[in-house]
Amino acid sequence: MVQPPNQVNDNLYAQAKAIFDNHFINIDAIPAGWRKGNLLDIANYLNGLAMQKFRPQGHEIGLPVLKIKELRQGSCDDSSELCSLSIKPEYIIHNGDVVFSWSGSLLVDIWCGGTCGLNQHLFKVTSDVYDKWFYYLWTAHHLARFIAIAADKATTMGHIKREELAKAEVLIPCEEDYTSFNSIMQPIFELIISNRIESRKLAALRDELLPKLMTGEIDVSDVQL
C-alpha cells in the first residue's frame, strides 16, 4: 500500500530525528575532536524586512510576503500581502529555505510554498559551512526552550532576542564525523523537501481542475483507466 506523502515525510523526519538525537543529544560524553558552540556558530539568522515599506511600484506584479500566517499554513494565498521584486536577494525565500519565526507563534520549518519575500519577525536561517539538516535540527531542538522564554516575557507578543541564540548550545563534530553524518542526513532532507514540493504542486493542480470537473468544463467520461 502506497503511503500518503505526509506520512512518508513524517517517517523520514522521524528517522533523521532519531539519528540526530542518538548522536548529538542522548550522549554521555562529547566525542574526541568535537567541540561546543552555539546556534550563531553554525548558522546565520537574517531577520526579515518591514514589508509595508517595500510595496510593489507602478505595474509591478510583486511577490507574496511570507509572514507568520503563511509559515504556519505552509503556503501563501490570495490574502497574502505583496512586496516589491526589487528587495535585496537575501530577503527572497525559495523552496527549501529554513525559516524561523522568533516572535508571536514561534516555529521553525523548511519552506516549500514557493518564492516570496521575508517579513520581519522571521529569520532566514542559512550557513556557508554546514548543511540544512544540521542547523535545522539544532534550531528545532531549542524551540521548546525558546517558546518558554517568549511565554515568560511581559509583552502582548512573546519573542526571543538574538542573544538567546548565542546561549543555545550545540555540539559541532569533527570534520570526519560530520562528513559521515552528512552522507546519511542530507539525502533524507532532500527527499523530504522534494516530496513536499511535489505534494504542493499536486494540490494546486487538484484545486485548479476540480471546479472544471464539477461544472463539466472538463469531460473525463471517455477516459479509460
Side-chain angles (χ1 to χ4, degrees), residues 117-188:
L118 183 69
N119 197 58
Q120 60 184 348
H121 303 139
L122 299 175
F123 284 132
K124 178 181 180 180
V125 191
T126 61
S127 175
D128 297 326
V129 178
Y130 299 103
D131 293 88
K132 195 166 298 175
W133 65 268
F134 190 63
Y135 55 82
Y136 172 84
L137 287 170
W138 272 119
T139 304
H141 171 70
H142 288 286
L143 189 61
R145 187 174 67 85
F146 290 153
I147 291 173
I149 292 171
D152 286 340
K153 294 184 179 295
T155 60
T156 55
M157 186 169 66
H159 64 280
I160 63 164
K161 296 180 179 178
R162 188 174 290 269
E163 63 193 45
E164 298 299 337
L165 302 176
K167 296 177 183 177
E169 287 192 352
V170 305
L171 287 180
I172 302 173
C174 62
E175 184 175 351
E176 181 180 358
D177 288 342
Y178 179 82
T179 300
S180 178
F181 289 132
N182 194 52
S183 66
I184 300 170
M185 301 289 270
Q186 186 178 18
I188 294 176

Side-chain angles (χ1 to χ4, degrees), residues 56-91:
Q57 301 297 312
H59 298 291
E60 189 180 14
I61 297 174
L63 278 176
V65 175
L66 174 57
K67 304 176 80 171
I68 295 173
K69 181 201 78 172
E70 285 77 14
L71 183 63
R72 191 185 298 116
Q73 68 188 22
S75 63
C76 298
D77 54 34
D78 292 340
S79 67
S80 298
E81 297 177 15
L82 297 177
C83 67
S84 173
L85 289 164
S86 63
I87 59 173
K88 292 182 178 180
E90 57 263 38
Y91 294 102

Side-chain angles (χ1 to χ4, degrees), residues 179-216:
T179 300
S180 178
F181 289 132
N182 194 52
S183 66
I184 300 170
M185 301 289 270
Q186 186 178 18
I188 294 176
F189 269 68
E190 287 179 350
L191 186 55
I192 289 173
I193 293 168
S194 64
N195 284 345
R196 287 183 61 182
I197 294 171
E198 186 63 25
S199 179
R200 178 176 170 270
K201 289 179 179 178
L202 290 174
L205 182 61
R206 175 204 62 203
D207 294 343
E208 180 182 349
L209 294 179
L210 190 58
K212 296 180 180 180
L213 289 169
M214 297 293 289
T215 61

